[in-house]
Amino acid sequence: MQRTDSARSTRYDLASNDYLGLGAHPVVRTGAINALCIAGAGASASRVASGTWEIHRELENALCSYTGRSQALVFSSGYTANLGVLGALGGPGSLFLLDAHAHASLLDGAKLSGADWHSFEHNNLDAAEQLLRANRDAPAPKPRVVLVLESLYSVLGDAAPLEQAAALCAEYGAVLLVDEAHSLATVPGGSAVRAAGLEQAGHVLATATLSKALGAQGGAVLLGGDDAELWREHLLNTARTFIFDTALAPAAAGAALAALSLATGERIAQLAANTRLIRDTLSAEPRLAGRIEASAGPVQSVRMNTPAQAAAAAALLRDRGYAVNCFRPPSVPDGVSRLRLTAHAHHHPDTLAAALRSVIGAILEVEA
Ligand SMILES: Cc1ncc(COP(=O)(O)O)c(C=O)c1O
């Protein structure tokens, strides 16, 4: 059920995806206001009708500079970016291979695309290769195969082996689609695809959301290599969530553009330091031993014994002024209940340490 939570903004934030704390930054607010004043409250039409504003092009150029890619196309959300790109790659001649922990938007995109699709065990590229080989050796192989991964997975916070996945796709003539929702502006260099040296790999497509580390709203497809312009053209002409959806709101585009200028290496390093503090503090508590997931980014999860205990700990923390997410079945990929904490660059280590003592206290209290 959807609830309005009036105390939300006063709680200590260990729950939101605003990893760099930019959503409320004055420069980001000003970016939104300026775009709003120029273009109005909404984009007023689809990008392919009269809905393309200068701010969309500026944002696409800035996303390319930030990620080292050559072409970008912004969508109204990360969800529609995933639906759009998978739809444009789909059809009866396509086969999609999805990691079992891939986000719902990737799964929905695969289902809607008209392609055949299979999911394979989380982060198991041997299992992915078996499916690639089976298609290659089939009497009528699908000519277009797309391997679909997230750079950083949103529940466990672990990373995909991008370099190996890109090499595997190159070997089998497949496309690699990487959802950078949780890695854009959170990993060193600002992009996991770039950190893996794949920013100009033509067979590696990426999507991203502007609603997490950039604190705004919207999504993007990011392309590199010699055919980047052709890929962009193909998306312009075939991605249904680009063509038949009102363009990204100018204020959101203005906010994301301003946020990109603030998503510096220094802020990302502060985020990494606070991520380490969360992991080290929780791991040092003997009664939580072995229950802290081995994450690679700002998402830190603690496995809980039951869904009820996970919900009770999150509720206790909410009453004490801390916002922590509770993930439990059916919205988790593996049936495990978790408290999910997200790190934020702007938290002072002392206040964060105090918040973590409260988190540990609440968990032990509900399990006593
Ligand atoms: C991995 C992943 N992809 C896509 C999305 C969708 O992004 P948006 O919220 O911008 O629609 C999310 C956000 O929930 C996500 O976690």
Side-chain angles (χ1 to χ4, degrees):
M1 191 178 71
Q2 290 276 276
R3 272 177 310 178
T4 322
D5 185 355
S6 54
R8 201 195 133 168
S9 58
T10 60
R11 288 202 189 98
Y12 193 87
D13 180 13
L14 290 168
S16 84
N17 300 315
D18 186 8
Y19 300 122
L20 299 182
L22 297 179
H25 194 287
V27 171
V28 174
R29 288 178 195 243
T30 304
I33 291 166
N34 289 344
L36 181 94
C37 290
I38 292 168
S44 74
S46 151
R47 287 284 298 277
V48 295
S50 56
T52 294
W53 293 81
E54 188 54 33
I55 194 78
H56 293 128
R57 295 298 306 151
E58 278 181 59
L59 175 58
E60 286 168 352
N61 290 338
L63 281 166
C64 288
S65 312
Y66 192 80
T67 58
R69 308 225 76 182
S70 314
Q71 296 285 337
L73 200 60
V74 295
F75 285 68
S76 61
S77 72
Y79 209 109
T80 55
N82 280 339
L83 292 189
V85 73
L86 286 165
L89 292 169
S94 298
L95 171 66
F96 294 160
L97 306 176
L98 279 81
D99 185 285
H101 286 196
H103 189 259
S105 54
L106 295 165
L107 192 57
D108 292 351
K111 288 179 180 171
L112 283 170
S113 72
D116 276 1
W117 66 273
H118 297 286
S119 99
F120 61 89
E121 190 190 357
H122 175 52
N123 260 351
N124 182 346
L125 287 186
D126 290 338
E129 183 165 14
Q130 274 179 25
L131 295 167
L132 287 164
R133 203 179 302 122
N135 179 62
R136 190 187 58 191
D137 298 343
K142 297 283 184 190
R144 178 180 272 167
V145 185
V146 185
L147 186 64
V148 184
L149 311 176
E150 283 179 46
S151 45
L152 284 181
Y153 287 90
S154 47
V155 176
L156 272 60
D158 54 338
L162 291 188
E163 287 163 65
Q164 294 93 316
L168 186 64
C169 287
E171 189 185 333
Y172 283 85
V175 167
L176 175 62
L177 175 64
V178 182
D179 183 340
E180 286 231 53
H182 293 272
S183 57
L184 181 72
T186 70
V187 297
S191 148
V193 167
R194 182 178 223 172
L198 297 169
E199 68 273 30
Q200 284 304 324
H203 71 303
V204 179
L205 315 188
T207 54
T209 167
L210 314 175
S211 64
K212 299 191 191 294
L214 298 181
Q217 190 90 33
V221 179
L222 304 162
L223 309 157
D226 293 340
D227 293 334
E229 210 174 322
L230 281 178
W231 274 115
R232 188 177 189 276
E233 209 48 38
H234 177 65
L235 290 171
L236 270 174
N237 291 309
T238 53
R240 293 172 65 80
T241 52
F242 187 81
I243 300 166
F244 298 106
D245 190 29
T246 297
L248 176 65
L257 181 62
L260 275 175
S261 70
L262 299 172
T264 57
E266 196 185 336
R267 279 197 167 84
I268 292 173
Q270 281 167 353
L271 178 65
N274 282 346
T275 301
R276 274 195 301 278
L277 182 59
I278 295 178
R279 187 170 46 237
D280 294 350
T281 307
L282 296 179
S283 305
E285 166 53 50
R287 283 163 293 181
L288 298 186
R291 288 165 56 185
I292 313 303
E293 312 274 8
S295 89
V299 173
Q300 299 287 310
S301 289
V302 186
R303 282 199 298 279
M304 298 294 286
N305 298 325
T306 65
Q309 286 183 349
L316 205 54
L317 284 162
R318 192 164 56 236
D319 291 345
R320 292 173 184 171
Y322 299 100
V324 169
N325 276 320
C326 158
F327 276 31
R328 56 195 160 138
S331 57
V332 284
D334 55 4
V336 177
S337 295
R338 295 178 174 84
L339 278 192
R340 179 181 180 270
L341 280 63
T342 49
H344 294 84
H346 55 294
H347 283 162
H348 190 280
D350 293 345
T351 59
L352 180 55
L356 293 169
R357 282 195 292 279
S358 295
V359 170
I360 293 170
I363 295 173
L364 299 183
E365 213 171 308
V366 300
E367 292 180 355

Coordinates of all heavy atoms in Angstrom, one line a residue, residues 129-130 132-134 136 145 167-174:
E129 N 27.0 -18.9 -20.7 CA 27.7 -19.5 -21.9 C 27.0 -20.7 -22.4 O 26.9 -20.9 -23.6 CB 29.2 -19.7 -21.6 CG 29.9 -20.2 -22.9 CD 31.4 -20.2 -22.8 OE1 32.0 -20.0 -21.7 OE2 32.0 -20.3 -23.9
Q130 N 26.5 -21.5 -21.5 CA 25.8 -22.8 -22.0 C 24.6 -22.4 -22.8 O 24.4 -23.0 -23.9 CB 25.3 -23.5 -20.7 CG 26.3 -24.5 -20.2 CD 25.7 -25.2 -18.9 OE1 24.5 -25.3 -18.8 NE2 26.6 -25.6 -18.1
L132 N 24.3 -19.5 -24.6 CA 24.9 -19.0 -25.8 C 25.3 -20.1 -26.8 O 25.0 -20.1 -28.0 CB 26.1 -18.1 -25.5 CG 25.8 -16.7 -24.8 CD1 27.1 -16.2 -24.3 CD2 25.2 -15.8 -25.8
R133 N 25.9 -21.1 -26.2 CA 26.4 -22.2 -27.0 C 25.2 -23.0 -27.6 O 25.1 -23.4 -28.7 CB 27.3 -23.2 -26.2 CG 28.2 -24.0 -27.0 CD 29.1 -24.9 -26.2 NE 29.9 -24.2 -25.3 CZ 29.9 -24.4 -24.0 NH1 29.1 -25.3 -23.4 NH2 30.8 -23.8 -23.2
A134 N 24.2 -23.2 -26.7 CA 23.0 -24.0 -27.1 C 22.3 -23.2 -28.3 O 21.9 -23.9 -29.3 CB 22.0 -24.1 -26.0
R136 N 23.9 -21.2 -30.4 CA 24.7 -21.3 -31.6 C 24.6 -22.6 -32.3 O 24.6 -22.7 -33.5 CB 26.2 -21.0 -31.2 CG 27.2 -20.8 -32.3 CD 28.6 -20.8 -31.8 NE 28.9 -22.0 -31.1 CZ 30.1 -22.1 -30.4 NH1 30.9 -21.1 -30.3 NH2 30.3 -23.2 -29.7
V145 N 21.4 -12.1 -30.2 CA 21.4 -12.5 -28.8 C 21.9 -11.4 -27.9 O 22.8 -10.7 -28.2 CB 22.3 -13.7 -28.6 CG1 22.2 -14.3 -27.2 CG2 21.9 -14.8 -29.6
A167 N 33.7 -10.0 -23.0 CA 34.5 -10.8 -23.8 C 33.7 -12.0 -24.3 O 33.8 -12.4 -25.5 CB 35.7 -11.3 -23.0
L168 N 32.8 -12.6 -23.4 CA 32.0 -13.7 -23.8 C 31.0 -13.3 -24.9 O 30.9 -14.0 -25.9 CB 31.2 -14.1 -22.6 CG 30.3 -15.4 -22.7 CD1 31.2 -16.6 -22.9 CD2 29.5 -15.6 -21.4
C169 N 30.4 -12.1 -24.8 CA 29.5 -11.7 -25.8 C 30.3 -11.5 -27.2 O 29.7 -11.8 -28.2 CB 28.8 -10.4 -25.4 SG 27.6 -10.6 -24.1
A170 N 31.5 -10.9 -27.1 CA 32.2 -10.7 -28.3 C 32.5 -12.1 -29.0 O 32.4 -12.2 -30.2 CB 33.5 -10.0 -28.0
E171 N 32.8 -13.1 -28.2 CA 33.1 -14.4 -28.7 C 31.9 -15.0 -29.5 O 32.0 -15.6 -30.5 CB 33.5 -15.3 -27.6 CG 34.1 -16.6 -28.0 CD 34.3 -17.5 -26.8 OE1 34.6 -17.0 -25.7 OE2 34.3 -18.8 -26.9
Y172 N 30.7 -14.7 -28.9 CA 29.5 -15.3 -29.5 C 28.7 -14.4 -30.4 O 27.6 -14.6 -30.8 CB 28.6 -15.8 -28.4 CG 29.1 -17.2 -27.8 CD1 30.0 -17.2 -26.8 CD2 28.6 -18.4 -28.3 CE1 30.5 -18.4 -26.3 CE2 29.1 -19.6 -27.7 CZ 30.0 -19.6 -26.7 OH 30.5 -20.7 -26.2
G173 N 29.3 -13.2 -30.7 CA 28.6 -12.2 -31.5 C 27.3 -11.7 -30.9 O 26.4 -11.3 -31.6
A174 N 27.3 -11.6 -29.6 CA 26.1 -11.2 -28.8 C 26.3 -9.7 -28.4 O 27.4 -9.2 -28.4 CB 25.9 -12.0 -27.6

